[in-house]
Amino acid sequence: MLTVAVCLALLGCLQAQELRGHVSIILLGATGDLAKKYLWQGLFQLYLDEAGNGHHFSFHGAALTPPQQGQELMAKALETLSCPKDTMPSHCAELKEQFLQLSQYHQLRTAEDYQALSRHIEAHVQQEGLQEAGRIFYFSVPAFAYADIARHINSSCRPAPGAWLRVVLEKPFGHDYHSAQQLATELGSFFQEEEMFRVDHYLGKQAVAQILPFRDQNRQALDGLWNRHHVERVEIIMKETVDAEGRTSFYEEYGVIRDTLQNHLTELLMLIAMELPSDIGSSAAVLEHKLQAFRALRGLQKGSAVLGQYQTYSGQVRQELQKPGSFHSLTPTFAGVLVHMDNLRWEGVPFILTSGKALDERVGYVRIVFKNRAYCAQSEGHWAAEQSRCLPQQIVFYIGHGGLGHPAILVSRNLFRPSLPSQSWEEVEAQPGLRLFGRPLSDYYAFRPVREWDAYSFLLSQIFHCRKESFITTENLLASWVFWTPLLDSVAHEVPRIYPGGSENGHLLDFEFGGGQLSFTQQPLEQLVPGLASSPRPSDFRVLRAQYRESPLISAWPEELISKLASDIEATAQQAVRRFGKFHLALSGGSSPVALFQQLATGHFSFPWANTHLWLVDERCVPLSDPDSNFQGLQAHLLQHIRVPYYNIHPMPVHLHQRLCAEEDQGAQTYASEISALVANSSFDLVLLGMGIDGHTASLFPQSPTGLDGEQLVVLTKSPSRPHQRMSLSLPLINRAKKVAVLVMGRTKREITMLVSRVGHQPKKWPISGVLPRSGQLVWYMDYEAFLG
């Protein structure tokens, strides 16, 4: 779909570029900060670059402000325009005057205002004896205004047939997958995909725009290096010294992950990780390869990220948003995230994405660090930068600021001498005393742009020339949100680590990775959030041991609870394998154990999977490939990540003879026979259960008392929610287990937890109350929200 859409878009672009004539550029939000800082200057540069190439321009500033006031504000913004350094002052003044003559302000509120603008453009084009080539609308306005503006443009301000339309959209493009999809659907009802240009200004920065050309021009040297066999890790970093003061209303809604990682840093990740098209000049090929890279991203989990918040942030929020004195924000202002790609090129290579405010320096870069297996017998003083294999080997796309203070591309001299276009990149002289990434600048082949450009100037040129690869397509946008939304949901209630800010951070935000997870290197401080001494915090508790229904209870914050349960299951498995040579584990489905499955898959490398038999406690009567299938959840979150023999996996036979849970197919009896044949005394080593808000467990429901007693080991039951038909282990079979673990998580379980704590053995009312292994052990695992509320 993407390839077809982009090909059509490019065809439209080619046709549009053949038509030279009058181009109208309408800047919506013309008096705003972005327009004043970057966009008017970018439009002026576009005029300087293109006016001599047969194009005629008019520039229209637009906003909700009344005409006279808007014209005054726009005039002030245009006073700051500057010419390239090599332009004579007198000529610059002449060029600015020409641009001012072509620029005017319009108040755009109603459909009539847009109609009037369209008539004005048409009359001007006719008066000048020109043909209209196209119109560019730049949306420098909040996203909530997009739909109304789009509707007005589509109905009242499109150019006549034969001329093109381009609309430029600024981030944020949604808050999560659902909102991004909703916004994309709204815009898609007014504009074609080829008409939309979503801006990520990082793609306009010079070092970033050079990543694909660099990979292309150095294919011969990089082909053997750009893979998991040679790359140790990739760091994608954006650090800021400023805080969020004055922007806390935006930051409270978005936070650092949505602000920078989901867009800027993810785009950088794609440029590094994507397969390189044979023709990087093909927008369609670049965008298709980028989408393929999105599809190879391994899903994030809670342990994939570490979060921080600078110490004065909550105070700024209280002041700017009039929050009460007791308010403490959970919004992260710092994040480190570990990303992996599930493909042959990058399998096992960690991509580390980091961004934050109030840090010790302002800098941005992408750093590819290569593995180094060399040992040099001579001391470091004798190592030559071009020859010694013991020196670090790295390639750095240096976006700007930091020690260098300008964009650059750095390649270790002991790798290869890179090829860059000499007309636009020049080699940098060594600077005594300057060290980058632990090495003097002389250790690198270092190149900087001959002429630095502003990102928005570059992107406006790309829009004008209809170069789509520098922008975010709808499919790529939604693919990014599919990747990030689960992590955002999982950390929404996490308390971030508080850091003082600037150089005082010391090593407080340092982190390390292993087993697919990140963790701060330094142990947390005793007091993370000043003033919250009366409220329980993650640092106040580790694991609480108590009794619940006369059985052991383990309670903790969710992350620690899952870690404890996973460790207990692993210990039980190892003990069973030592004694009996095998471990029989029966697992419940649903959402509660997903985090447990992910923990077992990524953090327990000594688990005896080869000797483990996996059974299901219950199953929905749907095909095993259905997203609602418990087996499908087990497959997605655990089985595909571990090495367990296929003959040790025992899904419930709910789909026989192309029918679902038909009694005459005897699926329940078949599963019971399989258990009896393989599990000694039909006694599982461990059964993992959950507890529903109605007191059900497995698929044993109060409304469907089947399976609560009797001789049947496996039964067909009915659920009050869809899909209604279920297959489940019976309560008598569950109670034969050597150990039963009940996992209860979330505030929604608080009421049933309190109720079940008081009732006796009443399985017909509350099936969970009937769980009591005859000769085994029952252990309850509850997070604090379920246990304490």
Side-chain angles (χ1 to χ4, degrees), residues 62-310:
L64 299 176
T65 310
Q68 184 174 349
Q69 184 184 359
Q71 184 64 49
E72 292 171 359
L73 291 171
M74 195 176 98
K76 286 184 179 179
L78 295 179
E79 287 175 3
T80 63
L81 296 179
S82 61
C83 298
K85 292 180 181 178
D86 56 356
T87 307
M88 293 289 292
S90 58
H91 186 47
C92 179
E94 183 182 337
L95 292 171
K96 287 172 66 174
E97 183 60 31
Q98 291 172 4
F99 184 78
L100 291 172
Q101 291 296 322
L102 297 173
S103 305
Q104 54 187 295
Y105 177 82
H106 304 264
Q107 182 184 23
L108 292 182
R109 280 182 175 273
T110 65
E112 289 74 20
D113 292 335
Y114 284 85
Q115 291 168 0
L117 172 61
S118 188
R119 289 194 298 269
H120 174 85
I121 292 172
E122 291 165 0
H124 176 72
V125 171
Q126 188 175 9
Q127 183 180 350
E128 296 293 321
L130 300 172
Q131 189 173 10
E132 185 171 15
R135 300 178 188 180
I136 297 174
F137 284 84
Y138 200 116
F139 286 45
S140 181
V141 296
F144 65 76
Y146 282 5
D148 282 342
I149 294 173
R151 185 180 298 105
H152 288 316
I153 292 173
N154 184 56
S155 63
S156 308
C157 212
R158 276 186 171 272
W164 45 259
L165 172 68
R166 292 172 199 155
V167 294
V168 189
L169 307 165
E170 279 280 348
K171 81 174 186 74
F173 309 120
H175 184 266
D176 54 17
Y177 174 75
H178 176 73
S179 59
Q181 187 178 46
Q182 186 176 19
L183 180 59
T185 301
E186 283 182 337
L187 292 171
S189 66
F190 302 117
F191 305 127
Q192 300 296 317
E193 180 66 30
E194 63 266 24
E195 294 176 331
M196 290 186 284
F197 291 73
R198 291 183 184 84
V199 168
D200 184 325
H201 76 274
Y202 252 57
L203 290 176
K205 292 182 178 290
Q206 280 172 287
V208 176
Q210 193 61 32
I211 292 176
L212 289 185
F214 178 89
R215 291 180 59 190
D216 183 52
Q217 292 155 14
N218 295 278
R219 279 181 192 262
Q220 188 172 356
L222 289 174
D223 272 351
L225 294 174
W226 210 256
N227 56 59
R228 61 192 169 96
H229 301 296
H230 296 279
V231 175
E232 177 187 307
R233 69 179 185 273
V234 178
E235 300 171 3
I236 304 175
I237 309 300
M238 178 183 168
K239 297 169 65 178
E240 297 182 273
T241 54
V242 299
D243 59 24
E245 187 175 8
R247 296 184 68 229
T248 57
S249 60
F250 169 85
Y251 227 74
E252 271 299 276
E253 184 175 359
Y254 288 93
V256 68
I257 295 179
R258 291 180 175 91
D259 186 34
T260 59
L261 278 80
Q262 179 273 327
N263 37 72
H264 304 327
L265 303 196
T266 302
E267 287 300 315
L268 293 172
L269 168 64
M270 293 297 101
L271 294 175
I272 297 297
M274 64 185 277
E275 293 299 310
L276 194 61
S278 58
D279 177 13
I280 67 164
S282 166
S283 293
V286 170
L287 293 170
E288 178 60 32
H289 281 65
K290 187 184 288 188
L291 185 59
Q292 290 172 5
F294 270 116
R295 291 170 180 155
L297 288 168
R298 183 187 301 172
L300 296 173
Q301 55 183 315
K302 199 174 185 178
S304 302
V306 290
L307 306 175
Q309 182 192 96
Y310 64 82

Side-chain angles (χ1 to χ4, degrees), residues 252 314 316-328:
E252 271 299 276
S314 283
Q316 291 172 344
V317 174
R318 288 194 292 270
Q319 182 177 357
E320 293 180 19
L321 304 183
Q322 286 82 53
K323 298 286 186 180
S326 59
F327 174 82
H328 287 272

Side-chain angles (χ1 to χ4, degrees), residues 57 111 152 572 596 699 738 761:
F57 291 91
H152 288 316
T572 305
L596 171 67
S699 281
K738 297 182 179 72
H761 183 83

Side-chain angles (χ1 to χ4, degrees), residues 721-732:
S721 58
R722 294 180 180 273
H724 298 301
Q725 285 187 295
R726 307 288 177 94
M727 185 179 290
S728 177
L729 303 187
S730 68
L731 193 56

Side-chain angles (χ1 to χ4, degrees), residues 10-50:
L10 294 177
L11 179 61
C13 287
L14 290 172
Q15 292 170 342
Q17 289 308 112
E18 290 173 3
L19 178 63
R20 293 175 181 253
H22 184 83
V23 177
S24 305
I25 301 180
I26 302 95
L27 176 53
L28 298 146
T31 58
D33 285 343
L34 182 65
K36 288 186 284 188
K37 288 180 180 178
Y38 301 109
L39 298 181
W40 280 117
Q41 180 63 44
L43 293 174
F44 181 48
Q45 187 62 52
L46 178 67
Y47 171 70
L48 298 181
D49 293 340
E50 301 296 340

Side-chain angles (χ1 to χ4, degrees), residues 41 58 126 145 260 365 438 532 585 589 629 774:
Q41 180 63 44
S58 61
Q126 188 175 9
T260 59
Y365 58 84
L532 285 185
L585 172 63
S629 164
R774 291 183 306 190

